[in-house]
Amino acid sequence: MNDLGRLEDLPVEYVEEMRRQNLVPLWPSLRGVLPPRVPTRQTRPTHWPYQSIRPLLLRAGELTPIEKAERRVLVLANPGHGLDKMQASAAMYLGMQLLLPGEWAPSHRHTPNAVRMIVEGEGAYTTVDGEKCPMSRGDLILTPTGLWHEHGHDGSDPVVWLDVLDLPLMFYAEVSYHVNGTRQDVVPGQGDRRHAHGGVLPTPAFVRGHKDYPMLRYPWAEVKAALLDLAADEPTLEHVQITYVNPQTGADVENVLGFYALMLRPGQTLRLPARSPAQVFHVVEGAVRVQCAGAGFDLIEADTSCTPGYESVSLSNARPDAPSFVFMADESPLHRKLGVYEVRG
Ligand code: GTQ
């Protein structure tokens, strides 16, 4: 298998002459870039307890005014990739962002897609493409590629949310950039309201000003109700899971990353099969043990963890008498578009 020639087998002057011509022999590196059967993954199972992040984030609020930060974020970096790379997995970036009462994080747009999962606090909002999206615990707010967005806070306590972006992929592809803007005019209307009635949607032909992203806010109350109803309707269903979709197309809400919410029944252990995408788990309510590739983490509310692709993951509800609820992100849409999506069982 590994009987390919090594670089050291070649005359030094030959290698040097090639390198002067910007040439490199493939065979010493062939197995490195095309390993047998399983890809090399730098993504390590990692756990970021919220109680460790929170004091450091609040301290950032004292040390760095919003004007000096633009976005006051502590990045959840995977040590397997090297902390300076600021990535949770190959395609996913995670950050915990703090906004204090009265602060404003100015309008900009960028090529990477983002979502925000609200972790703590009331009274803040994100204005996306002119739509004011209020933030409450567990809500998911989209800021898809190219849309203007800014964050404001009219409440009285710190607000924290989890940012999930496809920044590492966009940066790697050399397509990551931003443009600064000015404060947006808020237009009336809420996509989550007009799309919140089961089975009926605004008739596309009569929707004024077609939008690729008709729904920008997915309130937690709706998601939790959907999960509880699904669990009650299908008492033997193992995967009590919903996918966040674009209501007009039924497709994933964004182009690169997929977003889901999962309910674990009281005491349930759920085995997720080994699939190609890396995954992120964030506990919205309850307590969950995450096990993957020999690692085990006990997540409590607001904790976040990630797991590499091509490994099975087991999720156990640590609450024997109540369901637990998990927000998940993964790289499935990307893998499907690349034609490399796999389930290995
Ligand atoms: O809130 O717009 O975590 O632009 C990283 C980049 C958040 C944001 C991040 C961003 C934002």
Side-chain angles (χ1 to χ4, degrees):
M1 194 71 184
N2 245 335
D3 49 1
L4 300 181
R6 301 170 306 162
L7 205 56
E8 303 82 68
D9 300 337
L10 299 168
V12 172
E13 50 72 29
Y14 172 65
V15 173
E16 281 176 357
E17 175 59 18
M18 278 195 286
R19 297 192 70 85
R20 273 196 292 279
Q21 310 292 337
N22 297 323
L23 295 169
V24 176
L26 171 63
W27 58 95
S29 306
L30 184 58
R31 297 285 184 252
V33 292
L34 287 170
R37 286 190 290 278
V38 185
T40 307
R41 289 140 302 153
Q42 287 174 285
T43 303
R44 279 191 217 149
T46 307
H47 176 204
W48 296 272
Y50 186 57
Q51 287 313 316
S52 317
I53 301 172
R54 194 174 186 277
L56 296 170
L57 192 53
L58 289 176
R59 187 130 177 255
E62 293 161 13
L63 293 170
T64 308
I66 192 71
E67 296 75 22
K68 287 273 174 208
E70 220 169 273
R71 299 295 190 262
R72 195 190 288 109
V73 176
L74 295 186
V75 178
L76 282 54
N78 192 305
H81 287 271
L83 299 184
D84 294 336
K85 290 278 174 60
M86 299 202 299
Q87 55 194 105
S89 73
M92 292 190 283
Y93 157 104
L94 301 174
M96 281 286 178
Q97 181 160 172
L98 170 69
L99 200 64
L100 294 170
E103 287 187 333
W104 181 63
S107 191
H108 71 184
R109 60 188 173 89
H110 39 67
T111 45
N113 296 276
V115 302
R116 327 183 175 284
M117 165 53 49
I118 316 311
V119 176
E120 175 181 336
E122 294 286 333
Y125 59 89
T126 298
T127 304
V128 188
D129 195 24
E131 182 172 322
K132 188 171 176 176
C133 301
M135 295 176 159
S136 275
R137 179 162 171 66
D139 292 351
L140 188 74
I141 296 171
L142 311 185
T143 54
T145 181
L147 298 193
W148 293 111
H149 56 282
E150 63 198 79
H151 314 300
H153 190 347
D154 299 331
S156 52
D157 294 306
V159 166
V160 177
W161 63 84
L162 175 69
D163 290 315
V164 187
L165 281 77
D166 51 20
L167 179 59
L169 177 79
M170 296 297 194
F171 187 77
Y172 179 75
E174 300 187 342
V175 295
S176 179
Y177 71 95
H178 88 281
V179 179
N180 283 329
T182 53
R183 202 179 273 259
Q184 298 170 71
D185 293 326
V186 173
V187 293
Q190 272 179 249
D192 63 285
R193 192 164 56 206
R194 60 181 174 271
H195 292 93
H197 306 282
V200 294
L201 295 173
T203 300
F206 303 118
V207 168
R208 260 166 290 135
H210 168 80
K211 290 189 165 162
D212 286 340
Y213 301 95
M215 190 156 156
L216 297 167
R217 173 171 181 263
Y218 292 73
W220 176 246
E222 299 286 337
V223 174
K224 184 176 177 182
L227 289 168
L228 287 167
D229 287 345
L230 178 57
D233 266 10
E234 307 235 16
T236 59
L237 181 67
E238 260 207 304
H239 284 253
V240 182
Q241 182 179 319
I242 59 91
T243 300
Y244 290 87
V245 298
N246 178 323
Q248 287 296 358
T249 64
D252 288 289
V253 286
E254 288 184 348
N255 286 329
V256 177
L257 303 180
F259 305 98
Y260 320 87
L262 176 77
M263 183 186 118
L264 293 167
R265 298 176 193 270
Q268 182 185 3
T269 292
L270 182 66
R271 183 185 174 277
L272 308 178
R275 300 181 309 134
S276 52
Q279 301 182 89
V280 164
F281 304 95
H282 175 82
V283 175
V284 181
E285 291 182 31
V288 176
R289 179 160 178 80
V290 177
Q291 284 170 286
C292 177
F297 308 123
D298 291 302
L299 274 59
I300 58 170
E301 270 177 26
D303 283 9
T304 307
S305 71
C306 81
T307 56
Y310 300 88
E311 304 286 351
S312 67
V313 177
S314 119
L315 302 175
S316 304
N317 185 359
R319 301 207 289 193
D321 47 6
S324 287
F325 297 90
V326 184
F327 167 68
M328 302 192 298
D330 77 6
E331 301 162 329
S332 296
L334 172 69
H335 286 205
R336 291 202 171 89
K337 281 166 186 143
L338 294 176
V340 300
Y341 180 83
E342 275 185 62
V343 184
R344 293 202 171 174

